[in-house]
Amino acid sequence: MSLSKLNSLYREVILDHADHPHHKHALADATNTMTVKNPTCGDVINLDVALDTNDVITNIGFTGEGCTISQSSASMMSDAVMGKSKDEALKMAKTFSDMVMGKEHDQADLDELDDAAILSSIVSFPARIKCATLAWWALQRALLRDEQGDQTESEGEA
Ligand code: ZN
């Protein structure tokens, strides 16, 4: 994929997150973990989230590999949801997936996403939407997992 169609500032932010990802490490104290894959691109994200007793995300980390967009998105997502409650984080994941599908959203909701909001431009690259949403999907599934009472769910299902 050529990123040349992207606004150059956006491209710089995306590349910076991909080259120097934030929170790219496994957590020793994770309460919720999830592995997701995007087979069309070979992207893999193993997400670790630590929730405290009030369901606030006190720590988050990811490992994995894949294209620039997937890794950059995971870095931005981790930054954006750090310190948020589970409900806030789930709302952000919904906003993100709506945004990359080209649905309208309140500016306030988009601002919540922080750097991740710039991935709205991925809408011009339909083939890469899955790459961008992979990390948010991992987050959604990691956070909802215990509510589903399905701790044994096989990981890496695509
Ligand atoms: Zn990808």
Side-chain angles (χ1 to χ4, degrees), residues 85-118:
S85 72
K86 177 175 159 179
D87 288 347
E88 285 168 332
L90 287 171
K91 186 181 171 219
M92 290 162 73
K94 172 81 168 69
T95 301
F96 186 89
S97 52
D98 282 354
M99 176 187 82
V100 295
M101 298 303 288
K103 288 192 203 156
E104 296 279 322
H105 247 279
D106 288 348
Q107 190 58 44
D109 288 345
L110 297 178
D111 288 347
E112 279 281 297
L113 296 178
D114 211 348
D115 279 355
I118 69 169

Side-chain angles (χ1 to χ4, degrees), residues 16 25-26 36 89 100 104 113-114 127 131 134 146 154:
D16 191 53
H25 51 80
V36 292
V100 295
E104 296 279 322
L113 296 178
D114 211 348
C131 304
L134 192 64
D146 60 345
S154 72

Side-chain angles (χ1 to χ4, degrees), residues 1 18 33 52 56 59 61 66 69 79 111 113 116 118 125 127 133 140:
M1 160 193 185
T33 66
D52 69 9
V56 170
N59 209 353
I69 296 293
D79 275 353
D111 288 347
L113 296 178
I118 69 169
F125 304 90
T133 46
Q140 229 167 0

Side-chain angles (χ1 to χ4, degrees), residues 38 41 43 67 70 128 131:
N38 173 16
C41 191
D43 306 322
C67 68
S70 68
R128 310 314 292 266
C131 304

Side-chain angles (χ1 to χ4, degrees), residues 102-157:
K103 288 192 203 156
E104 296 279 322
H105 247 279
D106 288 348
Q107 190 58 44
D109 288 345
L110 297 178
D111 288 347
E112 279 281 297
L113 296 178
D114 211 348
D115 279 355
I118 69 169
L119 282 172
S120 62
S121 47
I122 210 73
V123 94
S124 331
F125 304 90
R128 310 314 292 266
I129 290 174
K130 271 191 187 168
C131 304
T133 46
L134 192 64
W136 291 93
W137 187 46
L139 176 74
Q140 229 167 0
R141 295 193 54 183
L143 292 179
L144 291 174
R145 193 173 193 175
D146 60 345
E147 278 184 2
Q148 293 167 341
D150 195 5
Q151 299 284 357
T152 57
E153 185 181 4
S154 72
E155 291 191 339
E157 193 184 294

